[in-house]
Structure formats: structure tokens, C-alpha cells
Amino acid sequence: MTSFFSTAVNLPEPLRLWFDDKGWDLHDHQVEMIDVAKRRQSCLLVAPTGTGKTLAGFLPSLIDLADTPAPGLHTLYISPLKALAVDIERNLTAPLAAMKLDIRAETRTGDTPPAKRQRQRERPPHILELMLTWPNAAEVFSGLNTVILDELHALAGNKRGDLLALSLSRLRRLAPDCRSVGLSATVADPEKLTGWLDHRREKVEVVRGGTTASPELSILTKAEDLPWAGHSAAYAVDDIFDMIKSHTTTLVFVNTRAQAEILFQSLWRINDDNLPIGLHHGSLSAEQRRKVEAHMAKGGLRAVVATSSLDLGIDWADIDLVVQVGAPKGTARLLQRIGRSGHRYDLVSKAVLVPANRFEVFECMAAEADIRDGLLDDPDDHPGGLDVLAQHLVGMALSDPFHADDLYHEVREAHPYRDLPRQDFNDTLEFVTTGGYALKAYERYHKLALGKDGLYRIAHRSVGLQWRLNAGTIVETNTLNIRLRGGPKLGKIEEYFVQSLTPGDTFIFAGRVLAYVGMQGAMTVLAAPTTATEPKVPAYAGGRLPLTSNLAERIRALMVDKANWPRFPDTVRQWLSIQEWKSSLPGPDRLLVETFPRGKKQFCVIYGFEGRNAHQTLGMLITRRMERTGLKPIGFVATDYALAVWSLNPVTSPEELLSPDLLGDDLEEWMKESTMMKRSFRTVATIAGLLEKRHPGAEEKSGRQMTMNSDLIYDVLLRHQPDHILMRATRQEAARGLTDIKRLAELLTRFQGRLDFRQLERVSPLAMPLMLEVGREAVTASAVEDGLAELQAELMDEAMDGVDLNAPLQSSFAL
């Protein structure tokens, strides 16, 4: 239900004087939040960025503490980003000091030092950001008044959210009078999030904040330079730098850490004005990230190049421009990023989108249209992970012995686990107790024991220490620490990238060009500064953001609706016109499939627009079917927009390749053999506690050691207990992550019998970007780019055969 303003607010004198000093008045939604708190109701506040949303969440707690100071933990603030938690603490500390209130606000994240963690356990602050599990949880949290979940939409639909939901369910048992407050700026259907705040949804009120001015949004399209493919946006670097020079503070967002490093280096090379520009992404050390955040907060930087590490809620009011380099991949994500600009109620957010290639022009325009029409992406709603449940069961036993029935009912009150079958719960409990049928002979997997009193408790003391060393849901890919020789730690770098280096090789990291010196022990890379001009770029696994379903639908509609064409750059309109002439356009109701020969290979291109993961899975499955039917497939390449498969024999009946039964036996057999499944199993087994990266007094295991152990156990379970709970969790993980089977199933079902099959003699214009991806091994030195330039020239000759590109666009092609 929705609450409405009902009572006037009398602020305590310290708060009233502070508001008067600032010249501020309470917004209606802030008054409503205070009113809801007085009635001790949980609530979800949906309000645009820059409208005082976070302050609205904290105001009732500040009022309560100012009126009746009390020792102990009063308010728990939970954030999806470390940077956001630190920013909130910084923005709370100054007002609390100005009000002269005896209230302590502190953060607790993965970067918090041990001494501070111990002090927080012994003397909890009044407001603590980012809850972690403590052994004395009952004592610490029993008097808890309020839980604030900031950017709630970002916590839904992922494993961090699963673990959070389970923890909140336990918290409600420890503090039954505690109320929950959710904050979100970008949510399509608020009712879908209320269950996170209380399993009794009718107990949660929805408060809606006032509207703000629509953002000032534009798209950079330099028609003469717009690339066919690639993600670096190198053509636009000069323009981006000019934007930075003409604004006070610019936040430049990219989608991957590799793109961040490349763009930062490109900007620095032309930075003759010596403007202070920072770099921020998740692989940098905490010290590096905090330094950039501090300089940005005090206005010491003209720009920061960042990934999603700065997506949410950061309150730097001096940012007057956001530049999104590369397609946004989701409307809600883009709106969050745009909201970093003009982060005040009376300011208009300003942003420029920079598409990195021609397909991304459509995606940028689709996102712009969605924002204009107020269409947002719904958060994912997946069933809670069984691996996360396994970790939680051990954590609960650390606090207190439990009865299985009681804990099952408690778990079901966690939103992602609301439909958890009892058998899945029992099987997970059996796993943490015995390891399961195939592993029961190994005592180290016996983490819990069932007592004669019917309660489950920790099997031996070492379980607790091991659990605390390895708890969490963020499983890093195989990474190594990297530090300057004789200098500070810079962050973490992918292990498989380091394996390709020999001493003297150069690469970019942390905004520097470095030379590889060698290894210090098994887990630390030593590097030294260098002036090399053609360094390698580290590849980061899992860095790509998925294209959302809503945005994909808008792209399909945008391409075929000729009313939109006048807004496209000339080169893009020409591209679509020639595509329509030589083949056809992919529309919202038909699936376009093209075949054509090139060299001695036969190509088949499927324009699915279902995201890279779904297309990769489709490529793996149809190549298996092509092998059985004698088409002799050789390889495939997938993008967010399409899939290209090449073989020795031509595809003549795509309907047989793309039938929904592809997800039956073909899928099951492929998943058994796939290395992707083994990768998923490693993640699941680590979260569930089967694999442990850290041991007391021992050096952290390398990624290679973890992978070897994981693969060995996977093979044992596949052979002897394929229905083991972790094998089921692995299939669940693969379906919702790496393989995106849900979207693939929707694609195959939706377009069954609705194919537009075009058998061409040459590559089509729309297929050109995929053909260039076939020739792109990695973003490296100029030799690769030269090779791609030659390939592009060849493809242009083929795709544009018979077209006069110098003729006026209006007379050459019908629009």
C-alpha cells in the first residue's frame, strides 16, 4: 500500500538548527518517511536521485537518537558498494558533528582492518554500515531499531542478495521489533521489492518521492568515424577530453575494467593541460580507490574514469557531466549513472552517451527512449542459491544450535527462498552434515553434527575459524596480488593473464604502464614503471554487463521503424538501407537468419538480440547438432546482438537447428561435458564451503590449486552422485548466469516457425561487425588493428558490392 503525508514534523532542535543553517526544507517524501517511522511500519521509498532519498532513510533514526540517546546499535545501513558505504559515512559524520550529537557512525566492509572490527564487536556504534555475521549477534542486534537497505534493486536477483535476505530473516528473529527501510531510485514495479523488507508484504508501505526534471541526455555520433565493431571508442577520445575540459567535474563510465584502463591511458596521452584525472575499478587496491574517492569528494579531480564500482548513490554534488562510453546494457543502470551528475534536487542531470560501434548506436538510442518514456528494467527474480543456503546453515550453527524445522521456516521468510522445497533444504542440510553420499567418507566435509537433543551444531571447533576465513558470495576469478617493486600494492590481476607474461613484457594497470619483473612467492606479481608505448591490456573474466531483455526489445523495434531513421547518423541509415536491400531487417516478430559463403567456409548468422551469454550457449548447442547432421562446424562468435557460426557445409534448414528441443538432450549432454559447468561448480563449491581458499596460518591457495581441486571433485560427483545438491546448484547457477538458458528458451519458443531465412551470396552489411569479431583475438598492439583494418576493407567490398556510396542518401535508398 502507499502512504500519504499525515502529520506535521517537529524536528529536535539540533536537526532544526542544522536545516536552518543549510537553508533547507523537508521534502514531502521525507516527511512521509518520518510519519511511517512513528507508526513503526516498514517501508520502501522510491525517489529519483538527488532528492534526499538517503537522508529520508536516516532522518527517523537521527530524530530518535537526538530525542532519546541510547547505547548500542540503533540503525543498520546496508549498501551494495563499498564506495557508497564510505561515502554515506563521510556525509553523515559532518552533519553529526555540526549538530553536536553524540552519535557514532562507522563502516564495516571487506576493507575494514581487524582492530576496528574487534572494537565494533565490543562497543558497537549507533549506526553501522554493511552488516557482517558476528558470533555474539543476539547481544549486538537485539535492540536494533531500523535496517536501511540502500539501492535495494541492486541487491535483488544475485547471490549477495540471497545471503543478505537470509541474514535479514535471522535478524528479524533476533530483533522482532526492528523495521526495514528500502531505498531505490530505479525500479519499475515497487511491489516486487516489498517482500525483501518483510515476508508479509501487506506490512510494507510504499512511499513515492517527488519527480525531478528529465535528464539532459545526448548521444555522440561522429558519422565519419563510427566503427563497425570493437568496444574501445578510440575514435571519440578527443571529444571526451574536450567534454572534460569544458566542465567542472566529469564522471566517465565504462562497462569493463579493461576498457577503464585503456580509456584512462588514452586520455592521459593527450592530457597536455595536465588535468587531474582519476581511475576507479574493483581490481584496484582499497588504498587506491579510497584515495580517488577522497580527492573527488573535495573537488580535487576534473574527471574519474570508472566502472560499476561507482554506479550507485555516490553524493558528489560538483559532478556536472556523466559520460557513458559504450552501450549502457540496461536502462535502470544508465539512469543510476546519469544520476551521479547534478546530484541535487534543484539541478538537472546531464549525460552524453558514446557508442563504441554501430550496433551500440541503436542501444544508446533505445535507452534514451526508455528513459524519456519512463520505462525501467525489472530486477531479476531468481530462486535463492542452494550454495548460499549451505553457507548460511553453517553460519547459523556458529551462533546457536538449531532445530531443522525452525530454521526451515525462518529461511522461507527470506524473499528469494519463499518457495524453497523442504527436500532441497533437507538435502542442503545433509550436505553440510555429511558431505553427501559420494563424499561422506571425508571427515573434513562433516561441518555440522546432529545431537541427541535433535539440534544441529558445529561438528568441531575448527569449522568456525574456517567458515569465517572463507565466508562470502563474491568468488574472485583466479587473481594474484600486484605491487610495485619496492613499493605499494596496486590491486589484483588475473592469474591466467600473468601466465602469458615473461620478464620485460609490458602491460597497463592502475593507470600506469608497467613492466613485468617476476613473482614474489606464489601469489604476488612484481612490476616496475616503464615508458613502453604498446603495452598489453589485462583481460578480466566476468567483466561484461548483460544486455537486459527490455532494452533488447526496444532495439528490435527501433531498427525497423523508419520513423526513427532520420535520427540515426548518415552512415547508420545507409547501413540499414543497404541491409534491407540486400537481405532484410530483424524485426520484433521475426527471427532473421542469414547464410553466405566466405573463402572456404559457410557462415550462418542469427540475429537473436538476447545477450552474449544466451548466444554463446546457443552457439555451443547448435554446433553439436550441426556436427551430428554432417555440417562440420568449425567455430562461432557471439555478441549481445547476434551469433555467427561457420562450417564447411552450408546450413539449409535453420528451423531444425533452432527448434526448442535443442534444450533437451543436447543441453543435458553439453552441460555434462562443458568447461563452463566446471567453472560454475568451482564458484558453487567455494560459496558452499566445499572448497576453501584460506586456511589458518597457511598461504592462500592459488587459482590453479582451487581449479584442480574443483575439477577433481566435479568429476567424482558427476560419476557417482550426479544429483548431489551442489551439482543441482551448479545447474541452477549456469542457467541463471553463464548460460542464460531462460532467455535462450524464450527466444527458441517465441520464434518457432517465425524465421526469416536469407540465403545470400556475400556477407550482408549487418553481419560485418560479427565478421570483424571473428578476426579479433584480443585488444593488443597495432598489428592486430592493422589486420582488422585489412579485413574490414575486404568485407566492405563484399557487403557494399554494387552500391554507390558517394550518391546522395535520399536518392540512393528509399527511407
Side-chain angles (χ1 to χ4, degrees):
M1 55 184 170
T2 303
S3 71
F4 300 93
F5 171 71
S6 61
T7 59
V9 176
N10 293 315
L11 292 176
E13 186 175 3
L15 273 75
R16 181 181 57 77
L17 292 174
W18 182 71
F19 269 88
D20 290 345
D21 184 60
K22 293 285 185 181
W24 291 353
D25 291 318
L26 288 175
H27 298 306
D28 288 346
H29 62 272
Q30 293 172 332
V31 174
E32 289 183 49
M33 292 291 283
I34 296 170
D35 185 40
V36 172
K38 287 179 179 178
R39 291 184 278 107
R40 299 302 301 159
Q41 287 288 103
S42 293
C43 65
L44 171 63
L45 170 61
V46 180
T49 57
T51 58
K53 182 170 71 272
T54 305
L55 178 60
F58 275 109
L59 263 176
S61 296
L62 296 177
I63 292 170
D64 198 21
L65 286 167
D67 284 339
T68 54
L73 185 62
H74 181 283
T75 297
L76 183 65
Y77 169 87
I78 299 173
S79 149
L81 288 180
K82 295 177 185 177
L84 179 54
V86 172
D87 185 63
I88 294 296
E89 181 195 25
R90 182 167 48 237
N91 290 331
L92 269 178
T93 301
L96 291 176
M99 297 176 202
K100 298 180 180 179
L101 293 175
D102 186 20
I103 299 173
R104 287 185 299 120
E106 297 180 358
T107 59
R108 184 183 175 99
T109 75
D111 298 333
T112 303
K116 185 175 180 181
R117 292 173 183 242
Q118 183 61 35
R119 179 179 55 73
Q120 288 176 344
R121 182 180 302 173
E122 295 169 355
R123 185 170 172 255
H126 297 93
I127 302 174
L128 178 71
E129 289 86 354
L130 205 62
M131 179 183 69
L132 298 178
T133 304
W134 289 340
N136 58 337
E139 177 186 347
V140 172
F141 294 115
S142 60
L144 187 66
N145 181 284
T146 303
V147 175
I148 301 173
L149 305 174
D150 205 353
E151 308 294 356
L152 178 57
H153 61 277
L155 295 165
N158 56 61
K159 292 197 176 187
R160 289 190 304 163
D162 292 350
L163 188 58
L164 170 64
L166 290 168
S167 299
L168 289 174
S169 185
R170 167 50 57 101
L171 192 60
R172 293 185 192 105
R173 187 173 72 81
L174 299 176
D177 296 328
C178 177
R179 70 187 197 95
S180 299
V181 176
L183 308 176
S184 181
T186 52
V187 54
D189 184 357
E191 296 299 332
K192 290 185 177 181
L193 291 180
T194 55
W196 285 79
L197 303 174
D198 194 312
H199 68 283
R200 303 160 298 176
R201 291 186 172 191
E202 69 279 3
K203 300 287 187 181
V204 181
E205 301 191 16
V206 176
V207 176
R208 298 180 184 273
T211 58
T212 57
S214 298
E216 183 182 320
L217 187 58
S218 61
I219 300 172
L220 177 69
T221 51
K222 295 174 64 176
E224 68 278 7
D225 296 323
L226 196 58
W228 289 92
H231 304 282
S232 67
Y235 78 99
V237 170
D238 289 338
D239 299 270
I240 296 169
F241 188 72
D242 287 342
M243 295 177 207
I244 293 171
K245 287 199 297 183
S246 62
H247 290 82
T248 303
T249 310
T250 303
L251 195 51
V252 183
F253 279 113
V254 295
N255 292 336
T256 71
R257 289 165 284 179
Q259 289 172 327
E261 293 280 359
I262 293 169
L263 182 57
F264 180 83
Q265 285 294 321
S266 299
L267 290 171
W268 200 251
R269 275 196 294 271
I270 62 173
N271 188 9
D272 295 332
D273 300 272
N274 203 29
L275 300 181
I277 300 174
L279 176 67
H280 196 288
H281 62 71
S283 288
L284 300 179
S285 68
E287 293 76 17
Q288 297 271 331
R289 286 182 275 117
R290 294 295 94 83
K291 184 178 179 180
V292 169
E293 292 160 20
H295 279 296
M296 197 70 169
K298 65 183 182 182
L301 296 175
R302 291 293 297 277
V304 173
V305 179
T307 61
S308 55
S309 58
L310 290 182
D311 263 5
L312 304 172
I314 307 300
D315 185 12
W316 295 329
D318 289 336
I319 294 175
D320 54 351
L321 178 67
V322 165
V323 178
Q324 167 66 45
V325 179
K329 303 303 171 192
T331 306
R333 180 184 298 116
L334 176 61
L335 199 56
Q336 283 285 351
R337 291 182 169 185
I338 292 172
R340 302 309 107 223
S341 161
H343 199 73
R344 268 202 348 233
Y345 195 76
D346 55 340
L347 296 178
V348 175
S349 296
K350 181 180 178 183
V352 178
L353 309 186
V354 182
N357 57 58
R358 297 187 182 205
F359 263 118
E360 289 192 354
V361 171
F362 305 129
E363 191 173 333
C364 288
M365 289 187 168
E368 179 188 37
D370 277 358
I371 289 176
R372 183 181 62 245
D373 296 342
L375 301 177
L376 298 176
D377 313 302
D378 279 322
D380 291 331
D381 186 17
H382 297 292
L386 299 176
D387 50 346
V388 178
L389 176 61
Q391 184 183 126
H392 180 71
L393 295 181
V394 177
M396 292 304 93
L398 278 172
S399 297
D400 271 312
F402 63 79
H403 193 284
D405 290 343
D406 295 339
L407 190 55
Y408 174 66
H409 293 303
E410 180 182 308
V411 165
R412 290 260 305 217
E413 293 180 1
H415 188 65
Y417 296 88
R418 60 193 182 277
D419 298 319
L420 178 72
R422 181 60 190 253
Q423 189 59 52
D424 283 354
F425 178 86
N426 291 345
D427 291 347
T428 307
L429 184 57
E430 175 69 15
F431 160 67
V432 295
T433 305
T434 69
Y437 168 76
L439 301 174
K440 66 170 55 175
Y442 302 94
E443 188 177 349
R444 64 178 176 275
Y445 301 133
H446 301 183
K447 300 180 183 298
L448 303 187
L450 177 61
K452 293 181 179 179
D453 55 1
L455 300 179
Y456 286 86
R457 47 179 51 85
I458 296 300
H460 39 86
R461 293 178 57 188
S462 63
V463 170
L465 183 55
Q466 284 293 105
W467 186 90
R468 293 188 182 97
L469 283 173
N470 293 280
T473 60
I474 299 177
V475 179
E476 295 177 342
T477 52
N478 301 341
T479 58
L480 301 171
N481 296 318
I482 177 171
R483 65 169 61 247
L484 289 178
R485 182 172 54 185
K489 178 182 174 183
L490 299 178
K492 290 182 177 290
I493 193 168
E494 303 285 345
E495 184 177 9
Y496 76 91
F497 173 74
V498 175
Q499 290 170 355
S500 71
L501 301 177
T502 58
D505 284 350
T506 60
F507 59 97
I508 57 175
F509 187 83
R512 313 178 191 213
V513 181
L514 303 172
Y516 175 61
V517 175
M519 296 294 299
Q520 183 180 61
M523 299 298 295
T524 301
V525 176
L526 294 181
T530 182
T531 56
T533 57
E534 288 196 359
K536 297 180 179 180
V537 180
Y540 298 93
R544 290 193 176 105
L545 299 169
L547 176 69
T548 62
S549 299
N550 292 355
L551 201 54
E553 286 303 303
R554 176 75 85 155
I555 293 169
R556 281 179 170 276
L558 193 72
M559 291 177 68
V560 297
D561 184 355
K562 291 188 178 180
N564 296 307
W565 284 25
R567 299 172 52 228
F568 298 158
D570 284 350
T571 50
V572 173
R573 276 186 286 154
Q574 190 177 66
W575 181 39
L576 292 182
S577 295
I578 302 171
Q579 171 67 23
E580 186 177 40
W581 172 38
K582 292 203 162 216
S583 176
S584 64
L585 294 172
D589 301 319
R590 307 282 296 178
L591 180 64
L592 175 61
V593 180
E594 297 175 335
T595 59
F596 51 82
R598 189 166 196 280
K600 296 182 179 180
K601 303 183 185 74
Q602 300 288 333
F603 285 83
C604 176
V605 181
I606 302 161
Y607 299 92
F609 293 91
E610 290 296 341
R612 184 183 304 269
N613 288 344
H615 291 158
Q616 282 183 329
T617 302
L618 179 60
M620 292 171 182
L621 293 176
I622 66 173
T623 49
R624 290 176 64 93
R625 185 164 284 189
M626 289 170 70
E627 184 69 41
R628 286 204 309 271
T629 56
L631 296 179
K632 299 182 179 179
I634 300 172
F636 68 87
V637 65
T639 69
D640 275 325
Y641 316 110
L643 166 73
V645 183
W646 53 98
S647 57
L648 294 180
N649 295 323
V651 172
T652 56
S653 180
E655 295 87 354
E656 295 178 7
L657 291 180
L658 296 171
S659 63
D661 65 6
L662 192 68
L663 299 181
D665 293 341
D666 283 303
L667 175 63
E668 190 64 29
E669 289 302 314
W670 168 69
M671 290 183 79
K672 286 180 182 179
E673 302 168 3
S674 171
T675 57
M676 192 179 295
M677 287 295 289
K678 289 189 174 182
R679 273 208 314 277
S680 293
F681 180 78
R682 176 179 173 269
T683 298
V684 164
T686 302
I687 293 173
L690 186 71
L691 297 175
E692 294 169 328
K693 194 177 182 72
R694 302 171 188 88
H695 291 265
E699 189 175 55
E700 186 175 300
K701 287 182 181 178
S702 69
R704 182 181 296 180
Q705 290 172 313
M706 292 287 286
T707 299
M708 289 175 60
N709 293 345
S710 172
D711 288 354
L712 179 63
I713 297 173
Y714 178 84
D715 289 339
V716 168
L717 293 180
L718 185 62
R719 188 161 53 248
H720 298 291
Q721 195 181 357
D723 63 340
H724 189 280
I725 191 67
L726 294 192
M727 299 297 280
R728 281 146 54 190
T730 298
R731 287 189 284 272
Q732 181 190 58
E733 164 83 4
R736 77 188 242 182
L738 291 172
T739 59
D740 214 343
I741 291 171
K742 179 182 177 183
R743 287 183 68 174
L744 176 55
E746 291 171 352
L747 172 75
L748 297 178
T749 303
R750 173 183 172 187
F751 292 111
Q752 186 177 17
R754 300 164 72 185
L755 268 57
D756 283 337
F757 182 35
R758 299 290 182 264
Q759 294 173 290
L760 310 176
E761 295 181 359
R762 295 172 181 265
V763 59
S764 73
L766 212 59
M768 268 195 62
L770 276 95
M771 300 301 290
L772 289 169
E773 292 288 343
V774 172
R776 182 182 296 273
E777 293 296 328
V779 183
T780 54
S782 58
V784 172
E785 299 305 321
D786 291 343
L788 290 174
E790 293 176 12
L791 176 59
Q792 179 171 313
E794 292 176 19
L795 292 169
M796 276 284 290
D797 289 342
E798 292 182 27
M800 305 303 180
D801 181 45
V803 178
D804 181 4
L805 296 178
N806 295 316
L809 182 63
Q810 291 85 347
S811 61
S812 293
F813 311 105
L815 299 182

